[in-house]
Short mmCIF file of all heavy atoms in Angstrom, two decimals:
data_model
loop_
_atom_site.label_atom_id
_atom_site.label_comp_id
_atom_site.label_asym_id
_atom_site.label_seq_id
_atom_site.Cartn_x
_atom_site.Cartn_y
_atom_site.Cartn_z
N MET H 177 -11.33 2.97 -6.02
CA MET H 177 -10.93 1.62 -5.82
C MET H 177 -9.92 1.14 -6.81
O MET H 177 -9.17 0.23 -6.59
CB MET H 177 -12.21 0.75 -5.83
CG MET H 177 -12.05 -0.58 -5.07
SD MET H 177 -11.09 -0.58 -3.55
CE MET H 177 -12.31 -0.12 -2.31
N ARG H 178 -9.90 1.88 -7.98
CA ARG H 178 -8.87 1.53 -8.98
C ARG H 178 -7.48 2.22 -8.73
O ARG H 178 -6.54 1.84 -9.33
CB ARG H 178 -9.38 1.95 -10.39
CG ARG H 178 -10.44 1.05 -10.93
CD ARG H 178 -10.75 1.35 -12.37
NE ARG H 178 -11.94 0.60 -12.75
CZ ARG H 178 -13.16 1.11 -12.68
NH1 ARG H 178 -13.40 2.30 -12.30
NH2 ARG H 178 -14.20 0.34 -12.98
N SER H 179 -7.51 3.28 -7.87
CA SER H 179 -6.35 4.11 -7.74
C SER H 179 -5.07 3.41 -7.23
O SER H 179 -3.97 3.82 -7.58
CB SER H 179 -6.63 5.37 -6.98
OG SER H 179 -6.92 5.05 -5.60
N PRO H 180 -5.20 2.36 -6.40
CA PRO H 180 -3.95 1.66 -6.02
C PRO H 180 -3.30 0.89 -7.15
O PRO H 180 -2.20 0.27 -6.90
CB PRO H 180 -4.37 0.72 -4.86
CG PRO H 180 -5.72 1.27 -4.38
CD PRO H 180 -6.37 1.83 -5.64
N PHE H 181 -3.92 0.78 -8.30
CA PHE H 181 -3.48 -0.20 -9.38
C PHE H 181 -3.09 0.69 -10.61
O PHE H 181 -3.86 0.73 -11.59
CB PHE H 181 -4.63 -1.18 -9.73
CG PHE H 181 -5.12 -1.89 -8.51
CD1 PHE H 181 -6.22 -1.40 -7.81
CD2 PHE H 181 -4.47 -3.06 -8.04
CE1 PHE H 181 -6.70 -2.09 -6.66
CE2 PHE H 181 -4.96 -3.72 -6.97
CZ PHE H 181 -6.05 -3.29 -6.27
N PRO H 182 -1.88 1.27 -10.66
CA PRO H 182 -1.51 2.08 -11.76
C PRO H 182 -1.26 1.30 -13.04
O PRO H 182 -0.87 0.14 -12.97
CB PRO H 182 -0.26 2.75 -11.30
CG PRO H 182 0.37 1.73 -10.36
CD PRO H 182 -0.81 1.06 -9.67
N SER H 183 -1.48 1.93 -14.19
CA SER H 183 -1.18 1.32 -15.43
C SER H 183 0.29 1.51 -15.75
O SER H 183 0.62 2.30 -16.66
CB SER H 183 -2.04 1.87 -16.59
OG SER H 183 -3.40 1.54 -16.27
N LEU H 184 1.14 0.89 -15.03
CA LEU H 184 2.61 1.14 -15.18
C LEU H 184 3.22 -0.21 -15.61
O LEU H 184 2.93 -1.27 -14.93
CB LEU H 184 3.14 1.51 -13.78
CG LEU H 184 4.60 1.97 -13.61
CD1 LEU H 184 4.77 3.30 -14.30
CD2 LEU H 184 4.88 2.05 -12.18
N SER H 185 3.98 -0.24 -16.64
CA SER H 185 4.66 -1.54 -17.04
C SER H 185 5.90 -1.68 -16.26
O SER H 185 6.48 -0.72 -15.65
CB SER H 185 4.93 -1.52 -18.51
OG SER H 185 6.02 -0.60 -18.80
N GLY H 186 6.48 -2.86 -16.24
CA GLY H 186 7.76 -3.17 -15.56
C GLY H 186 8.87 -2.27 -16.17
O GLY H 186 9.67 -1.78 -15.44
N ASP H 187 8.85 -2.15 -17.50
CA ASP H 187 9.89 -1.28 -18.21
C ASP H 187 9.78 0.14 -17.71
O ASP H 187 10.74 0.85 -17.50
CB ASP H 187 9.79 -1.35 -19.68
CG ASP H 187 10.27 -2.74 -20.19
OD1 ASP H 187 11.00 -3.41 -19.41
OD2 ASP H 187 9.92 -3.12 -21.32
N GLU H 188 8.51 0.61 -17.61
CA GLU H 188 8.30 2.03 -17.22
C GLU H 188 8.81 2.21 -15.74
O GLU H 188 9.41 3.26 -15.41
CB GLU H 188 6.83 2.45 -17.31
CG GLU H 188 6.41 2.69 -18.77
CD GLU H 188 4.90 2.69 -18.93
OE1 GLU H 188 4.12 2.25 -18.04
OE2 GLU H 188 4.50 3.23 -19.94
N LEU H 189 8.56 1.25 -14.91
CA LEU H 189 9.01 1.34 -13.48
C LEU H 189 10.51 1.36 -13.51
O LEU H 189 11.16 2.17 -12.75
CB LEU H 189 8.46 0.12 -12.76
CG LEU H 189 8.87 0.08 -11.21
CD1 LEU H 189 8.35 1.28 -10.47
CD2 LEU H 189 8.23 -1.22 -10.56
N ARG H 190 11.19 0.53 -14.26
CA ARG H 190 12.61 0.43 -14.30
C ARG H 190 13.15 1.82 -14.76
O ARG H 190 14.13 2.37 -14.18
CB ARG H 190 13.08 -0.61 -15.26
CG ARG H 190 14.61 -0.94 -15.25
CD ARG H 190 15.07 -1.81 -16.38
NE ARG H 190 14.23 -3.00 -16.53
CZ ARG H 190 14.41 -4.14 -15.80
NH1 ARG H 190 15.42 -4.17 -14.92
NH2 ARG H 190 13.64 -5.15 -15.96
N GLU H 191 12.52 2.42 -15.80
CA GLU H 191 13.00 3.70 -16.27
C GLU H 191 12.88 4.82 -15.25
O GLU H 191 13.74 5.64 -15.09
CB GLU H 191 12.14 4.10 -17.52
CG GLU H 191 12.87 3.78 -18.82
CD GLU H 191 11.94 4.03 -19.97
OE1 GLU H 191 11.24 5.08 -20.01
OE2 GLU H 191 11.83 3.07 -20.83
N LEU H 192 11.75 4.76 -14.52
CA LEU H 192 11.50 5.75 -13.47
C LEU H 192 12.63 5.67 -12.42
O LEU H 192 13.16 6.72 -11.96
CB LEU H 192 10.21 5.46 -12.72
CG LEU H 192 8.92 6.19 -13.15
CD1 LEU H 192 7.74 5.61 -12.37
CD2 LEU H 192 9.07 7.72 -12.95
N ILE H 193 12.91 4.46 -11.99
CA ILE H 193 13.95 4.28 -10.94
C ILE H 193 15.35 4.59 -11.47
O ILE H 193 16.09 5.37 -10.76
CB ILE H 193 13.88 2.81 -10.38
CG1 ILE H 193 12.56 2.56 -9.77
CG2 ILE H 193 14.98 2.58 -9.36
CD1 ILE H 193 12.22 1.08 -9.36
N THR H 194 15.66 4.23 -12.66
CA THR H 194 16.95 4.61 -13.22
C THR H 194 17.10 6.07 -13.40
O THR H 194 18.11 6.66 -13.15
CB THR H 194 17.16 3.85 -14.61
OG1 THR H 194 16.84 2.48 -14.43
CG2 THR H 194 18.48 4.03 -15.15
N GLY H 195 15.96 6.69 -13.89
CA GLY H 195 15.99 8.10 -14.07
C GLY H 195 16.21 8.97 -12.87
O GLY H 195 16.67 10.11 -12.88
N ALA H 196 15.94 8.34 -11.72
CA ALA H 196 16.23 9.02 -10.44
C ALA H 196 17.67 8.87 -9.94
O ALA H 196 18.04 9.39 -8.87
CB ALA H 196 15.22 8.51 -9.35
N GLY H 197 18.48 8.14 -10.70
CA GLY H 197 19.90 8.04 -10.39
C GLY H 197 20.28 6.67 -9.82
O GLY H 197 21.51 6.50 -9.47
N PHE H 198 19.36 5.74 -9.75
CA PHE H 198 19.72 4.45 -9.12
C PHE H 198 20.37 3.52 -10.18
O PHE H 198 20.22 3.68 -11.40
CB PHE H 198 18.45 3.72 -8.65
CG PHE H 198 17.86 4.32 -7.38
CD1 PHE H 198 16.84 5.25 -7.48
CD2 PHE H 198 18.40 3.95 -6.20
CE1 PHE H 198 16.32 5.79 -6.29
CE2 PHE H 198 17.88 4.50 -5.01
CZ PHE H 198 16.86 5.43 -5.02
N GLN H 199 21.13 2.54 -9.68
CA GLN H 199 21.80 1.54 -10.52
C GLN H 199 21.31 0.20 -10.17
O GLN H 199 20.74 -0.05 -9.08
CB GLN H 199 23.32 1.61 -10.34
CG GLN H 199 23.90 2.94 -10.76
CD GLN H 199 25.40 3.05 -10.31
OE1 GLN H 199 25.94 2.11 -9.73
NE2 GLN H 199 25.99 4.14 -10.67
N ASP H 200 21.67 -0.82 -11.02
CA ASP H 200 21.44 -2.21 -10.74
C ASP H 200 20.02 -2.44 -10.43
O ASP H 200 19.62 -3.09 -9.34
CB ASP H 200 22.30 -2.79 -9.62
CG ASP H 200 23.76 -2.67 -9.96
OD1 ASP H 200 24.11 -2.60 -11.12
OD2 ASP H 200 24.58 -2.60 -8.98
N VAL H 201 19.09 -1.95 -11.18
CA VAL H 201 17.68 -2.00 -10.94
C VAL H 201 17.19 -3.40 -11.26
O VAL H 201 17.43 -3.95 -12.37
CB VAL H 201 16.85 -0.97 -11.71
CG1 VAL H 201 15.38 -1.14 -11.37
CG2 VAL H 201 17.33 0.45 -11.44
N GLY H 202 16.50 -4.08 -10.34
CA GLY H 202 15.87 -5.37 -10.59
C GLY H 202 14.42 -5.30 -10.39
O GLY H 202 13.93 -4.69 -9.40
N ILE H 203 13.66 -5.87 -11.34
CA ILE H 203 12.14 -5.80 -11.23
C ILE H 203 11.68 -7.26 -11.15
O ILE H 203 12.02 -8.03 -12.01
CB ILE H 203 11.51 -5.11 -12.50
CG1 ILE H 203 12.14 -3.71 -12.72
CG2 ILE H 203 10.02 -5.08 -12.38
CD1 ILE H 203 11.63 -2.66 -11.89
N PHE H 204 10.85 -7.53 -10.17
CA PHE H 204 10.30 -8.86 -10.00
C PHE H 204 8.77 -8.84 -9.90
O PHE H 204 8.20 -7.78 -9.50
CB PHE H 204 10.82 -9.53 -8.70
CG PHE H 204 12.33 -9.38 -8.55
CD1 PHE H 204 12.88 -8.40 -7.80
CD2 PHE H 204 13.13 -10.32 -9.19
CE1 PHE H 204 14.25 -8.26 -7.67
CE2 PHE H 204 14.51 -10.24 -9.08
CZ PHE H 204 15.06 -9.22 -8.33
N LEU H 205 8.15 -9.89 -10.28
CA LEU H 205 6.71 -10.02 -10.11
C LEU H 205 6.38 -10.80 -8.93
O LEU H 205 6.93 -11.93 -8.69
CB LEU H 205 6.09 -10.72 -11.35
CG LEU H 205 5.87 -9.96 -12.56
CD1 LEU H 205 5.26 -10.86 -13.68
CD2 LEU H 205 4.90 -8.78 -12.30
N GLY H 206 5.50 -10.28 -8.14
CA GLY H 206 4.99 -11.00 -6.91
C GLY H 206 3.57 -11.36 -7.31
O GLY H 206 2.68 -10.44 -7.46
N ILE H 207 3.25 -12.64 -7.33
CA ILE H 207 1.91 -13.10 -7.62
C ILE H 207 1.42 -14.05 -6.52
O ILE H 207 2.14 -15.03 -6.16
CB ILE H 207 1.84 -13.80 -8.97
CG1 ILE H 207 2.41 -12.94 -10.09
CG2 ILE H 207 0.39 -14.30 -9.28
CD1 ILE H 207 2.41 -13.61 -11.47
N GLY H 208 0.28 -13.73 -5.95
CA GLY H 208 -0.19 -14.60 -4.83
C GLY H 208 -1.66 -14.46 -4.70
O GLY H 208 -2.27 -13.59 -5.18
N PRO H 209 -2.21 -15.49 -3.94
CA PRO H 209 -3.66 -15.45 -3.74
C PRO H 209 -4.05 -14.53 -2.58
O PRO H 209 -3.22 -14.39 -1.67
CB PRO H 209 -3.98 -16.93 -3.40
CG PRO H 209 -2.71 -17.44 -2.77
CD PRO H 209 -1.56 -16.69 -3.37
N VAL H 210 -5.18 -13.92 -2.62
CA VAL H 210 -5.71 -13.22 -1.45
C VAL H 210 -7.07 -13.77 -1.17
O VAL H 210 -7.87 -13.99 -2.04
CB VAL H 210 -5.67 -11.66 -1.66
CG1 VAL H 210 -6.48 -11.20 -2.86
CG2 VAL H 210 -6.09 -10.92 -0.45
N ARG H 211 -7.35 -13.89 0.13
CA ARG H 211 -8.62 -14.51 0.56
C ARG H 211 -9.37 -13.63 1.43
O ARG H 211 -8.86 -12.98 2.28
CB ARG H 211 -8.32 -15.77 1.39
CG ARG H 211 -8.15 -17.04 0.64
CD ARG H 211 -8.33 -18.25 1.51
NE ARG H 211 -8.26 -19.43 0.63
CZ ARG H 211 -9.28 -19.89 -0.04
NH1 ARG H 211 -10.49 -19.35 0.08
NH2 ARG H 211 -9.13 -20.97 -0.81
N TYR H 212 -10.75 -13.57 1.21
CA TYR H 212 -11.67 -12.92 2.10
C TYR H 212 -12.70 -13.96 2.51
O TYR H 212 -13.12 -14.77 1.64
CB TYR H 212 -12.31 -11.71 1.46
CG TYR H 212 -11.38 -10.59 1.10
CD1 TYR H 212 -10.60 -10.63 -0.05
CD2 TYR H 212 -11.30 -9.49 1.91
CE1 TYR H 212 -9.69 -9.61 -0.38
CE2 TYR H 212 -10.40 -8.45 1.61
CZ TYR H 212 -9.63 -8.49 0.46
OH TYR H 212 -8.75 -7.49 0.15
N PRO H 213 -13.18 -13.95 3.76
CA PRO H 213 -14.12 -15.00 4.23
C PRO H 213 -15.44 -14.96 3.44
O PRO H 213 -15.95 -16.04 3.10
CB PRO H 213 -14.38 -14.67 5.67
CG PRO H 213 -13.46 -13.64 6.11
CD PRO H 213 -12.80 -13.01 4.87
N THR H 214 -15.96 -13.79 3.13
CA THR H 214 -17.27 -13.69 2.45
C THR H 214 -17.21 -12.39 1.56
O THR H 214 -16.32 -11.54 1.77
CB THR H 214 -18.43 -13.45 3.43
OG1 THR H 214 -18.19 -12.29 4.16
CG2 THR H 214 -18.54 -14.64 4.41
#
Side-chain angles (χ1 to χ4, degrees):
M177 203 39 86
R178 286 188 190 94
S179 65
F181 306 94
S183 297
L184 186 70
S185 71
D187 285 344
E188 286 166 341
L189 180 58
R190 190 191 308 277
E191 262 172 46
L192 264 175
I193 296 173
T194 309
F198 287 96
Q199 295 172 0
D200 299 337
V201 181
I203 306 282
F204 310 97
L205 277 180
I207 305 179
V210 60
R211 273 198 175 276
Y212 294 81
T214 62

